Amino acid sequence: MAFAPRLLLPSRCPPPASAPARHGARTAPELSGPTPRVVVVTSGKGGVGKTTTTANLAASLARLSLSAVAVDADAGLRNLDLLLGLENRVHLTAADVLAGDCRLDQALVRHRALHDLQLLCLSKPRSKLPLAFGSKTLTWVADALRRAANPPAFILIDCPAGVDAGFVTAIAPAEEAVLVTTPDITALRDADRVAGLLECDGIKDIKIIVNRVRPDLVKGEDMMSALDVQEMLGLPLLGVVPEDAEVIRSTNRGVPLVLNDPPTPAGLALEQATWRLVERDAMTAVMVEEQERPKKKAGFFSFFGG
């Protein structure tokens, strides 16, 4: 296909003051690797907290004065704008950019409180991305952001549920992946399948976030622990997010959980996961729990067969 959409960007606004330090003497993580880093947040199964994770990772990056573009890659059922409180400011999308109707800087929506955070939606609600754009849609967008005068440090892509065309489009430009799952067998089976597809697409840097963990159920052997999940998927652990009622409240308010003051358990877990993402680190403290928890039940691994 031969067309060259106008993918121009303005100069970036000055960053806000650094976020308060919550990690001892260090005030910011050490950014690892060349930028921009393109990270897809995916799961396979819907409803596990993928969009919530994307919104909070992006907000936490911006709090650390690391510029981030959060991309809602769901062509028909976008929600990332709601979680960031930007639903009334999205008038142009990536589809408009690629159609030549606007520039990329016009489709990017900057967060009012977090100047280092911008949102880009793939298309408008109840509309479909023209098939002519194909799976390279976000690859063109990512390339344009890389060529900008002030490219972002991170491009976070909120992948739609499933493994169909939307999934293929979302993972196409990614170099890293954050795989979000909950500790239940249906989510884990889908996560295992998605991990295999990511590796087949050449994405080797895959880390998992285990969401909605309830320590009381883990202790009673009614829920798999984060260690169980890590052993099943065989992937590095980026974070463990506990069940937290504040997630619903923050979602309804359109304010990312990491901005809560005082911080909530889930907000702190997501902030710590952001630090590990920036430094390409993994969570190892979870191994300690094996000494304290009862012997796990058998039978979980059987769900990955067939």
Side-chain angles (χ1 to χ4, degrees):
M1 181 169 55
F3 74 92
R6 295 172 292 168
L7 304 177
L8 305 178
L9 288 169
S11 298
R12 196 182 66 176
C13 294
S18 298
R22 292 181 187 165
H23 296 265
R26 298 178 57 194
T27 58
E30 296 179 6
L31 181 59
S32 174
T35 58
R37 285 169 54 185
V38 185
V39 183
V40 63
V41 182
T42 184
S43 65
K45 187 177 186 298
V48 298
K50 183 172 60 273
T51 301
T52 301
T53 299
T54 305
N56 282 277
L57 290 177
S60 192
L61 287 168
R63 279 172 50 85
L64 296 167
S65 296
L66 292 171
S67 55
V69 173
V71 181
D72 192 329
D74 198 320
L77 296 171
R78 78 179 194 218
N79 287 307
L80 190 55
D81 55 332
L82 291 170
L83 273 65
L84 293 173
L86 299 174
E87 66 275 9
N88 294 325
R89 297 180 56 201
V90 178
H91 305 295
L92 298 169
T93 66
D96 297 312
V97 176
L98 296 171
D101 296 331
C102 68
R103 302 186 312 272
L104 182 55
D105 65 282
Q106 295 173 317
L108 289 169
V109 181
R110 191 178 298 277
H111 199 282
R112 287 196 178 101
L114 301 166
H115 294 173
D116 276 316
L117 172 57
Q118 293 177 291
L119 170 69
L120 176 67
C121 294
L122 190 60
S123 65
K124 297 175 182 177
R126 297 181 298 277
S127 66
K128 293 183 178 180
L129 195 67
L131 293 177
F133 291 152
S135 63
K136 297 299 182 183
T137 301
L138 290 181
T139 302
W140 295 328
V141 172
D143 288 344
L145 290 169
R146 287 190 184 97
R147 295 193 303 268
N150 293 287
F154 282 85
I155 302 171
L156 297 181
I157 302 173
D158 182 24
C159 181
V163 291
D164 54 9
F167 172 81
V168 174
T169 299
I171 69 172
E175 301 151 348
E176 307 170 46
V178 174
L179 187 56
V180 182
T181 185
T182 52
D184 63 85
I185 54 174
T186 55
L188 288 172
R189 171 175 259 182
D190 289 355
D192 185 58
R193 171 64 174 156
V194 166
L197 293 175
L198 291 170
E199 290 175 351
C200 288
D201 200 62
I203 302 174
K204 305 301 181 184
D205 189 349
I206 308 171
K207 295 183 176 67
I208 54 175
I209 287 181
V210 186
N211 195 24
R212 303 186 67 178
V213 175
R214 289 186 54 180
D216 57 328
L217 294 182
V218 173
K219 187 175 181 180
E221 295 189 283
D222 294 315
M223 174 180 281
M224 283 177 277
S225 71
L227 182 57
D228 291 326
V229 174
Q230 187 177 20
E231 289 176 346
M232 288 182 181
L233 297 179
L235 295 170
L237 189 61
L238 189 65
V240 179
V241 183
E243 183 78 66
D244 192 338
E246 283 298 321
V247 174
I248 297 176
R249 296 189 185 99
S250 71
T251 298
N252 290 337
R253 293 198 307 264
V255 178
L257 199 62
V258 295
L259 301 184
N260 277 24
D261 191 14
T264 67
L268 282 173
L270 287 164
E271 188 176 18
Q272 291 164 358
T274 304
W275 275 62
R276 297 186 191 101
L277 177 67
V278 171
E279 297 188 335
R280 294 182 185 268
D281 197 3
M283 184 176 179
T284 55
V286 71
M287 300 298 291
V288 176
E289 71 181 44
E290 186 169 340
Q291 301 172 2
E292 302 176 353
R293 42 186 270 272
K295 185 177 180 181
K296 60 189 176 185
K297 293 179 180 180
F300 289 127
F301 287 94
S302 64
F303 286 97
F304 288 91

Short mmCIF file of all heavy atoms in Angstrom, two decimals, residues 228-263:
data_model
loop_
_atom_site.label_atom_id
_atom_site.label_comp_id
_atom_site.label_asym_id
_atom_site.label_seq_id
_atom_site.Cartn_x
_atom_site.Cartn_y
_atom_site.Cartn_z
N ASP A 228 2.92 -20.19 42.29
CA ASP A 228 2.31 -21.22 41.45
C ASP A 228 2.18 -20.73 40.00
O ASP A 228 2.49 -21.46 39.05
CB ASP A 228 0.92 -21.58 41.97
CG ASP A 228 0.95 -22.31 43.30
OD1 ASP A 228 1.89 -23.09 43.51
OD2 ASP A 228 0.04 -22.09 44.11
N VAL A 229 1.69 -19.49 39.85
CA VAL A 229 1.50 -18.93 38.51
C VAL A 229 2.83 -18.82 37.78
O VAL A 229 2.94 -19.17 36.61
CB VAL A 229 0.83 -17.54 38.61
CG1 VAL A 229 0.77 -16.88 37.24
CG2 VAL A 229 -0.57 -17.67 39.20
N GLN A 230 3.85 -18.36 38.48
CA GLN A 230 5.16 -18.21 37.86
C GLN A 230 5.71 -19.56 37.42
O GLN A 230 6.29 -19.69 36.34
CB GLN A 230 6.12 -17.53 38.84
CG GLN A 230 7.46 -17.17 38.23
CD GLN A 230 8.36 -16.44 39.20
OE1 GLN A 230 8.16 -16.52 40.41
NE2 GLN A 230 9.35 -15.73 38.69
N GLU A 231 5.54 -20.58 38.25
CA GLU A 231 6.02 -21.92 37.89
C GLU A 231 5.28 -22.47 36.68
O GLU A 231 5.87 -23.14 35.82
CB GLU A 231 5.86 -22.86 39.08
CG GLU A 231 6.82 -22.58 40.23
CD GLU A 231 6.57 -23.47 41.43
OE1 GLU A 231 5.49 -24.12 41.46
OE2 GLU A 231 7.44 -23.53 42.32
N MET A 232 3.98 -22.20 36.59
CA MET A 232 3.18 -22.72 35.48
C MET A 232 3.54 -22.07 34.16
O MET A 232 3.67 -22.73 33.13
CB MET A 232 1.70 -22.51 35.76
CG MET A 232 1.15 -23.41 36.83
SD MET A 232 -0.62 -23.13 37.07
CE MET A 232 -0.95 -24.30 38.37
N LEU A 233 3.70 -20.75 34.18
CA LEU A 233 3.96 -20.02 32.93
C LEU A 233 5.44 -20.00 32.58
O LEU A 233 5.79 -19.76 31.42
CB LEU A 233 3.41 -18.60 33.03
CG LEU A 233 1.90 -18.48 33.21
CD1 LEU A 233 1.49 -17.01 33.32
CD2 LEU A 233 1.16 -19.15 32.05
N GLY A 234 6.31 -20.18 33.56
CA GLY A 234 7.74 -20.20 33.30
C GLY A 234 8.28 -18.86 32.83
O GLY A 234 9.19 -18.82 32.00
N LEU A 235 7.73 -17.76 33.36
CA LEU A 235 8.13 -16.42 32.94
C LEU A 235 8.52 -15.59 34.15
O LEU A 235 8.04 -15.83 35.26
CB LEU A 235 6.98 -15.73 32.19
CG LEU A 235 6.54 -16.35 30.87
CD1 LEU A 235 5.25 -15.72 30.40
CD2 LEU A 235 7.63 -16.20 29.81
N PRO A 236 9.38 -14.58 33.95
CA PRO A 236 9.74 -13.69 35.07
C PRO A 236 8.53 -12.94 35.59
O PRO A 236 7.61 -12.62 34.83
CB PRO A 236 10.77 -12.73 34.44
CG PRO A 236 11.23 -13.39 33.19
CD PRO A 236 10.10 -14.24 32.71
N LEU A 237 8.54 -12.65 36.87
CA LEU A 237 7.42 -11.98 37.52
C LEU A 237 7.70 -10.49 37.66
O LEU A 237 8.68 -10.09 38.29
CB LEU A 237 7.19 -12.61 38.90
CG LEU A 237 5.94 -12.22 39.67
CD1 LEU A 237 4.69 -12.62 38.91
CD2 LEU A 237 5.96 -12.88 41.04
N LEU A 238 6.84 -9.68 37.07
CA LEU A 238 7.00 -8.23 37.15
C LEU A 238 6.33 -7.65 38.39
O LEU A 238 6.80 -6.67 38.96
CB LEU A 238 6.43 -7.56 35.89
CG LEU A 238 6.70 -6.06 35.72
CD1 LEU A 238 8.19 -5.80 35.54
CD2 LEU A 238 5.92 -5.51 34.54
N GLY A 239 5.23 -8.24 38.81
CA GLY A 239 4.53 -7.73 39.97
C GLY A 239 3.38 -8.61 40.40
O GLY A 239 2.88 -9.42 39.61
N VAL A 240 2.96 -8.43 41.65
CA VAL A 240 1.81 -9.12 42.21
C VAL A 240 0.88 -8.06 42.79
O VAL A 240 1.27 -7.32 43.69
CB VAL A 240 2.21 -10.12 43.32
CG1 VAL A 240 0.98 -10.80 43.89
CG2 VAL A 240 3.20 -11.15 42.77
N VAL A 241 -0.33 -7.97 42.26
CA VAL A 241 -1.27 -6.92 42.65
C VAL A 241 -2.40 -7.55 43.47
O VAL A 241 -3.13 -8.40 42.97
CB VAL A 241 -1.85 -6.21 41.42
CG1 VAL A 241 -2.78 -5.07 41.85
CG2 VAL A 241 -0.73 -5.67 40.54
N PRO A 242 -2.57 -7.13 44.72
CA PRO A 242 -3.62 -7.72 45.55
C PRO A 242 -5.00 -7.19 45.17
O PRO A 242 -5.13 -6.12 44.55
CB PRO A 242 -3.24 -7.26 46.96
CG PRO A 242 -2.51 -5.97 46.74
CD PRO A 242 -1.76 -6.14 45.46
N GLU A 243 -6.01 -7.94 45.52
CA GLU A 243 -7.39 -7.48 45.35
C GLU A 243 -7.57 -6.20 46.17
O GLU A 243 -7.17 -6.12 47.33
CB GLU A 243 -8.35 -8.56 45.84
CG GLU A 243 -9.83 -8.23 45.64
CD GLU A 243 -10.27 -8.44 44.20
OE1 GLU A 243 -10.27 -9.58 43.74
OE2 GLU A 243 -10.61 -7.44 43.56
N ASP A 244 -8.19 -5.18 45.57
CA ASP A 244 -8.28 -3.88 46.23
C ASP A 244 -9.56 -3.19 45.77
O ASP A 244 -9.75 -2.95 44.56
CB ASP A 244 -7.06 -3.04 45.88
CG ASP A 244 -6.92 -1.79 46.73
OD1 ASP A 244 -7.93 -1.35 47.31
OD2 ASP A 244 -5.80 -1.26 46.83
N ALA A 245 -10.44 -2.84 46.71
CA ALA A 245 -11.69 -2.16 46.37
C ALA A 245 -11.47 -0.80 45.76
O ALA A 245 -12.32 -0.28 45.02
CB ALA A 245 -12.57 -2.04 47.61
N GLU A 246 -10.31 -0.20 46.03
CA GLU A 246 -10.02 1.12 45.48
C GLU A 246 -9.88 1.10 43.96
O GLU A 246 -9.97 2.14 43.32
CB GLU A 246 -8.74 1.68 46.11
CG GLU A 246 -8.92 2.21 47.51
CD GLU A 246 -9.90 3.39 47.56
OE1 GLU A 246 -9.88 4.23 46.64
OE2 GLU A 246 -10.69 3.45 48.51
N VAL A 247 -9.64 -0.07 43.38
CA VAL A 247 -9.53 -0.16 41.92
C VAL A 247 -10.82 0.28 41.26
O VAL A 247 -10.82 1.05 40.29
CB VAL A 247 -9.16 -1.60 41.49
CG1 VAL A 247 -9.20 -1.73 39.97
CG2 VAL A 247 -7.79 -1.98 42.03
N ILE A 248 -11.95 -0.18 41.77
CA ILE A 248 -13.25 0.19 41.21
C ILE A 248 -13.50 1.68 41.38
O ILE A 248 -13.97 2.36 40.46
CB ILE A 248 -14.38 -0.63 41.86
CG1 ILE A 248 -14.19 -2.12 41.56
CG2 ILE A 248 -15.75 -0.15 41.37
CD1 ILE A 248 -15.19 -3.01 42.24
N ARG A 249 -13.17 2.21 42.56
CA ARG A 249 -13.39 3.63 42.80
C ARG A 249 -12.54 4.49 41.87
O ARG A 249 -13.02 5.48 41.32
CB ARG A 249 -13.09 3.95 44.26
CG ARG A 249 -14.01 3.28 45.27
CD ARG A 249 -13.79 3.83 46.68
NE ARG A 249 -14.60 3.10 47.65
CZ ARG A 249 -14.14 2.12 48.42
NH1 ARG A 249 -12.87 1.75 48.32
NH2 ARG A 249 -14.93 1.50 49.28
N SER A 250 -11.30 4.13 41.69
CA SER A 250 -10.42 4.92 40.84
C SER A 250 -10.85 4.84 39.38
O SER A 250 -10.77 5.82 38.64
CB SER A 250 -8.96 4.46 40.99
OG SER A 250 -8.76 3.20 40.40
N THR A 251 -11.32 3.66 38.98
CA THR A 251 -11.80 3.50 37.60
C THR A 251 -13.01 4.39 37.34
O THR A 251 -13.09 5.08 36.32
CB THR A 251 -12.18 2.03 37.35
OG1 THR A 251 -11.01 1.22 37.49
CG2 THR A 251 -12.74 1.85 35.95
N ASN A 252 -13.95 4.40 38.26
CA ASN A 252 -15.15 5.22 38.10
C ASN A 252 -14.85 6.71 38.13
O ASN A 252 -15.57 7.51 37.53
CB ASN A 252 -16.18 4.87 39.18
CG ASN A 252 -16.76 3.48 38.98
OD1 ASN A 252 -16.75 2.95 37.88
ND2 ASN A 252 -17.25 2.88 40.05
N ARG A 253 -13.80 7.10 38.84
CA ARG A 253 -13.42 8.51 38.90
C ARG A 253 -12.55 8.93 37.72
O ARG A 253 -12.36 10.12 37.48
CB ARG A 253 -12.65 8.81 40.19
CG ARG A 253 -13.47 8.70 41.47
CD ARG A 253 -12.76 9.41 42.62
NE ARG A 253 -11.39 8.97 42.77
CZ ARG A 253 -10.99 8.02 43.62
NH1 ARG A 253 -11.89 7.40 44.37
NH2 ARG A 253 -9.72 7.70 43.72
N GLY A 254 -11.99 7.97 37.01
CA GLY A 254 -11.09 8.30 35.92
C GLY A 254 -9.74 8.80 36.41
O GLY A 254 -9.08 9.59 35.74
N VAL A 255 -9.32 8.31 37.59
CA VAL A 255 -8.04 8.70 38.18
C VAL A 255 -7.22 7.43 38.42
O VAL A 255 -7.66 6.56 39.18
CB VAL A 255 -8.23 9.46 39.50
CG1 VAL A 255 -6.88 9.81 40.11
CG2 VAL A 255 -9.08 10.71 39.30
N PRO A 256 -6.05 7.29 37.80
CA PRO A 256 -5.24 6.09 38.01
C PRO A 256 -4.96 5.84 39.49
O PRO A 256 -4.76 6.77 40.27
CB PRO A 256 -3.95 6.39 37.23
CG PRO A 256 -4.38 7.35 36.17
CD PRO A 256 -5.44 8.20 36.80
N LEU A 257 -4.91 4.58 39.85
CA LEU A 257 -4.76 4.17 41.24
C LEU A 257 -3.44 4.66 41.84
O LEU A 257 -3.37 4.96 43.04
CB LEU A 257 -4.84 2.64 41.32
CG LEU A 257 -5.13 2.00 42.67
CD1 LEU A 257 -6.49 2.43 43.19
CD2 LEU A 257 -5.07 0.49 42.54
N VAL A 258 -2.39 4.77 41.03
CA VAL A 258 -1.08 5.17 41.55
C VAL A 258 -1.05 6.62 41.99
O VAL A 258 -0.09 7.06 42.63
CB VAL A 258 0.03 4.92 40.51
CG1 VAL A 258 0.19 3.44 40.23
CG2 VAL A 258 -0.24 5.70 39.21
N LEU A 259 -2.10 7.39 41.68
CA LEU A 259 -2.17 8.79 42.08
C LEU A 259 -2.85 8.97 43.43
O LEU A 259 -2.92 10.09 43.95
CB LEU A 259 -2.90 9.62 41.03
CG LEU A 259 -2.29 9.62 39.62
CD1 LEU A 259 -3.07 10.56 38.71
CD2 LEU A 259 -0.82 10.01 39.66
N ASN A 260 -3.39 7.89 44.00
CA ASN A 260 -4.07 7.98 45.30
C ASN A 260 -3.10 8.40 46.40
O ASN A 260 -1.95 7.93 46.44
CB ASN A 260 -4.70 6.63 45.66
CG ASN A 260 -6.05 6.44 45.03
OD1 ASN A 260 -6.36 7.04 44.01
ND2 ASN A 260 -6.86 5.58 45.63
N ASP A 261 -3.56 9.26 47.29
CA ASP A 261 -2.78 9.67 48.43
C ASP A 261 -3.70 9.68 49.66
O ASP A 261 -4.65 10.47 49.69
CB ASP A 261 -2.18 11.06 48.20
CG ASP A 261 -1.14 11.43 49.25
OD1 ASP A 261 -0.70 10.52 49.98
OD2 ASP A 261 -0.79 12.62 49.34
N PRO A 262 -3.48 8.80 50.62
CA PRO A 262 -2.34 7.87 50.73
C PRO A 262 -2.45 6.70 49.74
O PRO A 262 -3.54 6.39 49.27
CB PRO A 262 -2.45 7.36 52.18
CG PRO A 262 -3.92 7.45 52.48
CD PRO A 262 -4.40 8.68 51.77
N PRO A 263 -1.33 6.07 49.42
CA PRO A 263 -1.33 4.98 48.44
C PRO A 263 -2.09 3.76 48.94
O PRO A 263 -2.15 3.51 50.15
CB PRO A 263 0.15 4.68 48.24
CG PRO A 263 0.80 5.15 49.50
CD PRO A 263 0.03 6.35 49.95
#
